[in-house]
Amino acid sequence: MSLTEAQRAEIAAHGQETFSTRRPTVAALEAMLYAPQEVLDHGFLRVIDYMGDDAAIVQAARVSYGRGTRKVSEDAGLIRYLMRHRHSSPFEMCEIKFHVKLPIFVARQWIRHRMASVNEYSARYSILDSEFYLPDPAHMAAQSEVNRQGRGEILAPEAAAEVLDILREDAMRTYRDYERMLDGENGYGLARELGRINLTLNTYTQWYWKIDLHNLMHFLALRIDPHAQYEIRVYAEAMLKILHAWVPTTAAAFEEYRRGAVTFSASMMAVVRRMLAGEVVEQAGSGLSRREWDEMMATLQAPTP
Ligand SMILES: Cc1cc2nc3c(=O)[nH]c(=O)nc-3n(C[C@H](O)[C@H](O)[C@H](O)COP(=O)(O)OP(=O)(O)OC[C@H]3O[C@@H](n4cnc5c(N)ncnc54)[C@H](O)[C@@H]3O)c2cc1C
């Protein structure tokens, strides 16, 4: 993570400020506020602000006049019920705002999650930093032969080193050209909005990203999944820790009913029922395609996350 001294000082000063409020706060999240958590080689994620807590979900679900909470076990039971039956609007009552520094190719995947408010660093107005994501050799894998969207075997160390050299040199060369194109004295004084078009996709950008709790969990469910690309998954994993600190009861229900749950089709359920009745079912007579069958068996045999 590369923060300048001035940026660190600004974050520290912000963290010193305190306000008294009549609104509920969450001690565990207050302790994490503003502090950047390192992600990838130059990226970070930090919580800037939040609204609501577990009790706010219960309060909205009960449309209460006061705080709306009852016994801890009753509140947890209600949250688990809401999660189980996909009652989403009580979770939309809570919001959280992050400051994220991320490579542009990760941002392209992330921005597909439309139910959020985004304000990105303007490379039309400001000059992007000379920072590029370079994968750790442990993540330098070959194209997967079974999954067209995934990675397979890790590259041999010499091959990984050569690929890293290519990535580094290309990124640095285009950045040097970027600086030269923008430079009004020794270069061309090109507009920033045009100078940036030649930069590599591993260049870091940053944004403020605000989302409600329901859509945050939707994002997490999709991006923590092993099918998601490693480079976005690490951001989702950092956010999951924040979710647990912020709304522990909701996070536990999320682990139970979303992350740890699976979906079976009607035909898959018919197979499960036949198996439970003691029948030995083979793919050929199951009514499922080979792919569906393999997915179902992998799900049944997968360890719980
Ligand atoms: C593993 C993985 C692989 C992917 N691969 C590809 C790919 O190859 N190509 C590709 O283009 N994308 C790909 N995506 C992106 C994916 O298709 C979704 O665009 C992305 O995950 C955002 O999901 P979402 O639309 O549900 O989220 P959000 O945009 O946050 O929306 C949340 C929900 O709101 C509703 N909603 C939001 N906007 C609208 C709207 N305009 N109309 C109707 N309903 C709306 C929908 O119910 C939606 O589920 C991939 C995603 C994942 C996780």
Side-chain angles (χ1 to χ4, degrees), residues 19-261:
F19 301 87
S20 82
T21 176
R22 289 160 62 201
R23 292 186 298 110
T25 54
V26 179
L29 192 56
E30 292 287 315
M32 298 169 100
L33 269 185
Y34 314 132
Q37 293 185 42
E38 218 169 289
V39 190
L40 300 179
D41 50 357
H42 299 291
F44 63 73
L45 177 85
R46 61 193 196 104
V47 180
I48 297 298
D49 205 354
Y50 67 100
M51 179 176 79
D53 57 3
D54 276 327
I57 298 157
V58 168
Q59 183 189 40
R62 292 192 176 126
V63 193
S64 305
Y65 286 85
R67 189 86 165 103
T69 59
R70 295 186 192 151
K71 274 199 231 148
V72 174
S73 59
E74 279 181 43
D75 289 353
L78 177 56
I79 286 176
R80 291 169 73 83
Y81 175 89
L82 295 170
M83 186 77 71
R84 203 160 60 242
H85 294 281
R86 297 190 173 257
H87 288 273
S88 49
S89 48
F91 297 107
E92 292 169 18
M93 300 297 159
C94 297
E95 297 210 329
I96 190 158
K97 182 160 63 187
F98 295 99
H99 177 189
V100 192
K101 185 165 183 183
L102 68 175
I104 291 170
F105 71 92
V106 175
R108 272 186 69 173
Q109 296 188 337
W110 194 311
I111 202 72
R112 300 298 307 282
H113 295 265
R114 296 156 291 178
M115 303 310 286
S117 304
V118 188
N119 197 64
E120 187 173 1
Y121 183 87
S122 172
R124 295 182 70 193
Y125 181 78
S126 309
I127 298 175
L128 286 164
D129 291 330
S130 161
E131 283 172 341
F132 328 103
Y133 168 64
L134 296 174
D136 188 286
H139 297 290
M140 299 276 281
Q143 173 60 42
S144 164
E145 293 188 359
V146 285
N147 176 0
R148 288 194 199 154
Q149 278 202 337
R151 298 180 196 182
E153 298 286 311
I154 302 294
L155 292 188
E158 313 76 57
E162 284 176 27
V163 173
L164 271 176
D165 283 346
I166 295 172
L167 290 172
R168 188 181 302 107
E169 281 164 22
D170 284 357
M172 288 174 68
R173 192 180 62 247
T174 59
Y175 194 84
R176 275 195 305 274
D177 289 343
Y178 172 65
E179 287 182 307
R180 192 155 59 95
M181 288 190 281
L182 300 192
D183 189 337
E185 286 181 16
N186 303 311
Y188 302 93
L190 185 69
R192 290 169 185 169
E193 65 180 16
L194 281 173
R196 65 181 173 169
I197 67 176
N198 205 30
L199 290 171
T200 48
L201 287 181
N202 59 351
T203 307
Y204 274 84
T205 182
Q206 30 182 317
W207 59 34
Y208 267 44
W209 190 71
K210 179 173 74 73
I211 191 159
D212 67 55
L213 177 55
H214 165 66
N215 283 293
L216 174 66
M217 290 188 288
H218 180 62
F219 175 92
L220 293 180
L222 291 170
R223 300 301 180 178
I224 286 174
D225 190 276
H227 293 98
Q229 181 166 345
Y230 165 78
E231 283 80 8
I232 193 165
R233 214 162 63 222
V234 284
Y235 284 92
E237 283 163 3
M239 285 169 148
L240 181 66
K241 290 197 188 114
I242 290 165
L243 183 82
H244 277 274
W246 176 29
V247 281
T249 307
T250 301
F254 171 75
E255 298 283 4
E256 177 71 14
Y257 299 116
R258 296 289 285 283
R259 206 171 156 217

